[in-house]
Amino acid sequence: FLYALAERLLRRMEGEEISRLKDKVSNSMEWICGNGYEATTIDMFHEEMVDLFDFVAALAYDVDSGNHHNHNHNNNNNNNSNNNDNNYDHPLEDALSKLHERLNEENATSDYCTWFLRILTASQLKSHPDRYLPFLSADSTDSSFTSAAAATDRLGNDGTVDLSVFCAREVEPMGKECGMVQVAALAECLGARVVIEYVDG
């Protein structure tokens, strides 16, 4: 999700969307803390997520500048190939390469931002229980739900799923696969459209 989102923003050079998402994340701390998380615990991850949007915005600006450079260069009657600036030959490819490098560093941006997205997802679930609880029933066939411990450990006194326990076991831990409910919650939290493809093998 993280890689696809950042790549889409960069490819489409969606400056307004980058700003919207950055503002959404920047202003999310109070909301997240209101859902049971400590600011001191998530602050570093929050800052990394905001910084990633700044990074993508800067790359998008460089791509746009490079495209204008190439346009002006191609309209120039000077055909001396030695005057080509290699940094502007393929601005989008260069920017995507930098994004790929940053998001593939171990124990760095990708891991930090992925965990923060998990916290956003958990906060969204906790903030809108009526929206998501019907999809998290005790007899759910969602593998991400049934893979947890005994169902009784996840139920509240009224027999419904305990969202706090569900999030602690199925959403927050790194390495846990996301089910449909988690994907929907994150997409709705960020106001992002998601297309899911099923690959049966």
Side-chain angles (χ1 to χ4, degrees):
F1 182 96
L2 176 66
Y3 194 105
L5 177 63
E7 183 181 36
R8 189 204 71 183
L9 293 172
L10 180 54
R11 284 186 178 278
R12 298 182 180 181
M13 292 187 289
E14 298 179 332
E16 291 185 2
E17 181 67 356
I18 295 173
S19 296
R20 184 189 71 81
L21 288 169
K22 178 187 173 182
D23 290 344
K24 176 78 175 179
V25 170
S26 296
N27 299 322
S28 66
M29 283 291 284
E30 183 177 353
W31 174 66
I32 291 173
C33 292
N35 283 289
Y37 299 97
E38 295 290 336
T40 54
T41 302
I42 63 176
D43 185 61
M44 177 174 62
F45 303 93
H46 172 261
E47 289 181 358
E48 190 70 27
M49 191 79 219
V50 173
D51 187 64
L52 176 61
F53 285 124
D54 284 335
F55 181 71
V56 173
L59 290 178
Y61 177 82
D62 289 344
V63 170
D64 189 49
S65 298
N67 286 338
H68 284 301
H69 175 94
N70 280 341
H71 177 74
N72 294 333
H73 179 77
N74 290 334
N75 289 333
N76 195 320
N77 290 326
N78 183 1
N79 294 319
N80 184 356
S81 61
N82 291 328
N83 288 332
N84 285 337
D85 185 348
N86 291 330
N87 290 328
Y88 289 104
D89 282 348
H90 305 286
L92 178 58
E93 288 79 358
D94 181 58
L96 288 171
S97 178
K98 292 177 180 177
L99 178 65
H100 177 81
E101 181 179 355
R102 175 158 183 174
L103 291 180
N104 278 276
E105 295 179 19
E106 293 186 7
N107 301 316
T109 298
S110 180
D111 291 335
Y112 287 17
C113 291
T114 296
W115 191 76
F116 185 76
L117 290 179
R118 288 178 176 273
I119 297 303
L120 284 180
T121 302
S123 296
Q124 179 73 7
L125 290 169
K126 294 176 182 179
S127 296
H128 304 279
D130 293 340
R131 169 79 176 93
Y132 303 107
L133 275 176
F135 303 100
L136 295 175
S137 59
D139 59 351
S140 171
T141 57
D142 186 337
S143 61
S144 70
F145 179 82
T146 57
S147 63
T152 53
D153 291 339
R154 297 191 299 271
L155 302 179
N157 294 330
D158 58 356
T160 60
V161 174
D162 187 324
L163 275 176
S164 294
V165 176
F166 176 81
C167 290
R169 290 182 174 175
E170 302 298 327
V171 181
E172 297 165 18
M174 292 289 284
K176 280 286 186 178
E177 294 185 1
C178 290
M180 290 292 294
V181 177
Q182 293 96 306
V183 173
L186 179 57
E188 291 173 6
C189 176
L190 295 177
R193 297 181 61 185
V194 176
V195 177
I196 299 175
E197 296 183 3
Y198 289 93
V199 180
D200 294 328

